[in-house]
Amino acid sequence: MQNNDIYILAIESSCDDTSCAILCNNKVLVNITANQTIHSLYGGVVPELASRDHQKNIVAVVDIALKNAKITIQQLNAVAVTEGPGLMGSLLVGISFAKSLALALNIPLIGVNHMQGHILSHFIIDDTEQSLPQFPFLCLTVSGGHTQLVMVSNYLNFKIIGQTLDDAVGEAFDKAAKLLGLGYPGGPLIDKLAQTGNKTKFKFAETKLNHYDYSFSGIKTSFLYFIQNNVQKNTNFIAENIEDICASYQQHLITVLLKNVINCIEDTGVKQLAIAGGVSANSALRLHIKALERKLAIKTFIPKFEYCTDNAAMIGITAYYKFLNKTFSHLSIVPKVRMSVED
Ligand code: KG4
Ligand code: ZN
């Protein structure tokens, strides 16, 4: 490590994971996450319980991160934190902690947009060899709260060119899983069961939209009716067909996602495609995106599993590029429940 190295401690607490990462420049030294399991009892994230667990976990998570990074707190050059979008109470815990730390150490505070973080997770350097996206690239951002097609022209510039008009694709996974009695979060459970299922057995409704926008609420309703109708005829329908239901539904969601991606690549001529966000952990989606390399003669970028779902390393890498640009935040920043990726 050199004297002009930049050390950033980053905190992510926008939803139900308390995460702390320490970066030296664009390299991750540690990335530690305390997952909250309590929400699975309720079939979804309970905001009040999430903020209480953040309060319980944050000191220990930061402490372990500092110990594992083998640096002292005085070596830090900045403190980064997710500013939004996210749950008010959850964001507040991370932001209050980050402000106090920055104030006590007299170093800059860097508020980070969570969705920009998901996209820039592709620039996190760790021990393995990797190739990085070149600007401009198209990013399909798919999480529990977002489904967007974003054109990224540099580390600080993001333009939405299509997005969901209602539910996010992560919600379409989670709500279907709940209906099937699988538990929360549903995406990984559907992914697993789909691996041994027939993806062409069942068909679901499609919503036609202009441009590159998405809609998942109609698909979700069609899934509900499909289940209700079949269970009426056969009470064991779900148990007898669970793998095929998961495989067919997952395939349908992926087909819908890819349609706009392909249209957008053909229309714009962009040669690089990335995916980001929790749903980018989906094994079938990863394979389909990879297959576009040959089909469309493009280069694709798929995040490592640990950087798909919420993590502080992605907040740290975004803060690193903000630091280089001297984009610092005032200590008066407040949580932003809604925050566009363009902000
Ligand atoms: O990015 P993320 O961790 O949190 C948000 O910012 O929302 O995304 C969480 C979403 C959940 O809807 C979860 O079901 C979904 O990502 N997810 C998956 C998989 N792993 C996580 N969806 C499908 N397949 C997966 N393997
Ligand atoms: Zn996220």
Side-chain angles (χ1 to χ4, degrees), residues 226-282:
F226 160 80
I227 295 292
Q228 282 177 343
N229 289 340
N230 281 291
V231 168
Q232 236 169 28
K233 289 183 226 149
N234 168 13
T235 47
N236 286 329
F237 176 75
I238 294 178
E240 286 168 12
N241 295 280
I242 188 75
E243 286 100 347
D244 296 341
I245 298 170
C246 289
S248 300
Y249 183 65
Q250 174 177 281
Q251 184 58 37
H252 183 62
L253 295 178
I254 293 173
T255 306
V256 169
L257 285 174
L258 292 190
K259 204 177 216 174
N260 289 2
V261 171
I262 294 169
N263 286 342
C264 184
I265 289 172
E266 286 175 347
D267 293 350
T268 61
V270 66
K271 290 281 171 230
Q272 312 227 4
L273 169 70
I275 51 169
V279 182
S280 65
N282 184 272

Side-chain angles (χ1 to χ4, degrees), residues 9 11 73-74 76-81 94-110 329-333:
L9 182 145
I11 292 168
I73 206 161
Q74 285 75 22
L76 294 175
N77 297 95
V79 180
V81 67
I95 291 177
S96 309
F97 188 94
K99 278 183 189 178
S100 319
L101 191 59
L103 187 66
L105 297 172
N106 195 24
I107 55 176
L109 175 73
I110 304 176
S329 304
H330 198 267
L331 284 174
S332 64
I333 61 166

Side-chain angles (χ1 to χ4, degrees), residues 114 118 142-145 170-171 173-174 185-188 191 277-279 281-283 308-310:
H114 180 88
H118 272 303
V142 277
S143 71
E171 276 174 279
F173 271 104
D174 293 338
D191 187 354
V279 182
N282 184 272
S283 52
C308 288
T309 45
D310 292 348

